[in-house]
Amino acid sequence: MNSLGLDKHPSQTRVVVAMSGGVDSSVAAALLKREGYDVVGITLQLYDHGQAVAKKGACCAGQDIYDAKRVADRLDMPHYVLGYESRFRQAVIDDFADSYLAGETPIPCVRCNERVKFRDLLETARELDADCLATGHYVQRVAGSQGPELHRAVDDSRDQSYFLFATTPEQLDFLRFPLGGRPKTETRRLAEELGLAVADKPDSQDICFVPQGSYAEVVKKLRPGSIEPGEIVDMSGNVVGRHEGIIHFTIGQRRGLNVGGFDEPMYVVRLEPEARRVVVGPQRALARDVVHLREVNWLYPAPVDGQGVPVSVKLRSAMMPQPATVYAGEGGTGTIVLDTAQNGISPGQAAVFYDGARVLGGGWIDSASLSEAAKAA
């Protein structure tokens, strides 16, 4: 059994590595190459070259493709660039624009993993007779009694499991994550030790196809004429201001509302896209303890017959997991009941549930409400 859990000698094990041009995927490829695996690098061209070179520091950009090629040459391994522009536009960019116009706060990186990297790229890896597909994500694949499990990374500050909740059990069987058991500092050190040109390259921070970090400008370009001004109202329906489009707002937002005359700070409580209305209220009005999900993916046997599973849940990527109970519904739906109400739960974000370090599953937030019991408390 080799280090990837396959009953083959490394030299007889072909591994396709998804190479973004960053330090993480480069080190993943280098480590596998050093162990003697038959490594093939693939980099995805996800959007127009002119757009790609306009965005410095984003993944899958023109410079990153060049950097991935340099690393592959340094490691003496084959490297291919695949044009996935059309698929990425349909599956990720269009979904991003439509979600914002619907009053949601989307996470395109999850959609990219779900619909492009772990679906189309995975199939390409199989076509290349690969035994597995490796990535530079900070997450762990752990052998369990009923098959591979997805676990949080050892380095909690770098954990990316929230963004991989849509990974299916079948995909997880084929995937490998060489960096999940290492801290980021060790990855940087290894990059220097292995002589990789990207050793000091900064991490990408922004969404790759948003050239200047302005989501609104991207949506305007993709959906011209669709962004319309409207009213800002309080919770009683009184008009307290105007706005230039609901895409400029998200649930829980406080800054940039430009409303006054209140005795306490106001927050965005609700977005009503059909009426082009932004509803604001005090912070206490944000509290929600029941979260309704769509497109739920289970990496653990889904509960049946109305049984709830105690979990800890993340409703945003940066939040601490909160105790809750999750119930499976029909048609890929689900419901989370939080032990304690939380503020700023936004449709379009992901809810990911854990049992300790293990990812049990997750889904997209469709709506949230405050239970009668919480109201009475």
Side-chain angles (χ1 to χ4, degrees):
M1 190 74 68
N2 61 37
S3 64
L4 297 178
L6 299 167
D7 193 18
K8 301 174 71 173
H9 190 273
S11 64
Q12 302 300 314
T13 304
R14 174 164 292 179
V15 184
V16 166
V17 180
M19 298 182 68
S20 68
V23 64
D24 297 326
S25 59
S26 297
V27 169
L31 289 173
L32 293 168
K33 183 70 175 177
R34 187 170 70 174
E35 288 187 54
Y37 288 100
D38 176 13
V39 182
V40 177
I42 291 183
T43 301
L44 302 182
Q45 173 68 53
L46 295 181
Y47 44 93
D48 178 77
H49 229 32
Q51 291 178 314
V53 297
K55 174 65 175 174
K56 184 178 181 181
C59 75
C60 309
Q63 179 64 43
D64 294 311
I65 293 172
Y66 172 71
D67 288 343
K69 175 63 175 173
R70 284 201 300 165
V71 169
D73 290 344
R74 169 73 175 81
L75 298 174
D76 191 25
M77 54 178 272
H79 175 257
Y80 304 99
V81 178
L82 303 182
Y84 276 33
E85 292 95 331
S86 177
R87 179 62 181 166
F88 186 72
R89 169 68 182 254
Q90 296 172 8
V92 180
I93 298 180
D94 286 347
D95 178 83
F96 170 87
D98 293 339
S99 294
Y100 258 114
L101 291 172
E104 298 186 340
T105 306
I107 314 175
C109 295
V110 175
R111 287 300 194 195
C112 184
N113 289 327
E114 173 191 9
R115 297 177 172 177
V116 180
K117 293 179 181 176
F118 289 176
R119 187 163 69 184
D120 293 357
L121 179 55
L122 190 145
E123 288 305 311
T124 299
R126 292 187 188 277
E127 291 171 2
L128 291 171
D129 294 325
D131 294 285
C132 59
L133 171 66
T135 79
H137 287 102
Y138 284 87
V139 69
Q140 296 187 91
R141 179 186 181 276
V142 176
S145 59
Q146 297 179 326
E149 301 172 356
L150 188 65
H151 286 235
R152 295 172 63 90
V154 167
D155 186 345
D156 197 56
S157 68
R158 303 296 302 183
D159 175 61
Q160 293 174 295
S161 60
Y162 177 87
F163 299 98
L164 300 182
F165 81 86
T167 305
T168 67
E170 294 75 22
Q171 291 168 344
L172 187 59
D173 189 56
F174 195 68
L175 288 164
R176 299 295 187 275
F177 308 103
L179 304 185
R182 304 172 186 271
K184 179 73 175 191
T185 51
E186 183 179 344
T187 301
R188 291 285 183 188
R189 181 186 61 76
L190 284 167
E192 294 179 0
E193 178 185 309
L194 294 164
L196 303 182
V198 296
D200 59 352
K201 185 175 181 178
D203 295 331
S204 59
Q205 300 292 333
D206 298 322
I207 297 172
C208 63
F209 57 87
V210 182
Q212 304 301 326
S214 174
Y215 304 160
E217 290 304 316
V218 171
V219 177
K220 287 178 183 178
K221 181 178 180 180
L222 294 170
R223 301 290 185 271
S226 62
I227 301 174
E228 299 179 291
E231 298 173 341
I232 301 176
V233 303
D234 63 19
M235 297 185 66
S236 298
N238 301 309
V239 178
V240 297
R242 301 278 302 175
H243 67 79
E244 295 303 316
I246 65 167
I247 64 168
H248 297 285
F249 301 90
T250 187
I251 304 298
Q253 179 177 333
R254 176 183 173 185
R255 296 185 177 182
L257 301 184
N258 295 321
V259 296
F262 295 97
D263 295 332
E264 54 189 320
M266 290 289 106
Y267 298 79
V268 176
V269 174
R270 187 171 66 253
L271 297 175
E272 299 177 353
E274 292 184 1
R276 306 192 305 276
R277 187 181 295 131
V278 176
V279 182
V280 299
Q283 187 176 39
R284 60 182 176 276
L286 289 168
R288 303 286 187 271
D289 66 334
V290 180
V291 185
H292 305 284
L293 308 177
R294 63 178 186 266
E295 299 179 54
V296 176
N297 177 62
W298 287 95
L299 282 161
Y300 168 90
V304 296
D305 301 327
Q307 296 179 349
V309 175
V311 299
S312 58
V313 63
K314 292 182 70 171
L315 302 168
R316 294 181 300 279
S317 62
M319 80 176 293
M320 292 293 294
Q322 300 296 316
T325 303
V326 62
Y327 300 86
E330 297 181 356
T333 62
T335 302
I336 293 172
V337 179
L338 295 159
D339 288 10
T340 304
Q342 300 294 313
N343 293 337
I345 300 175
S346 178
Q349 293 283 288
V352 182
F353 15 99
Y354 299 81
D355 177 14
R358 182 183 179 184
V359 180
L360 301 182
W364 296 100
I365 299 173
D366 193 58
S367 62
S369 59
L370 190 64
S371 66
E372 294 301 322
K375 291 177 183 177

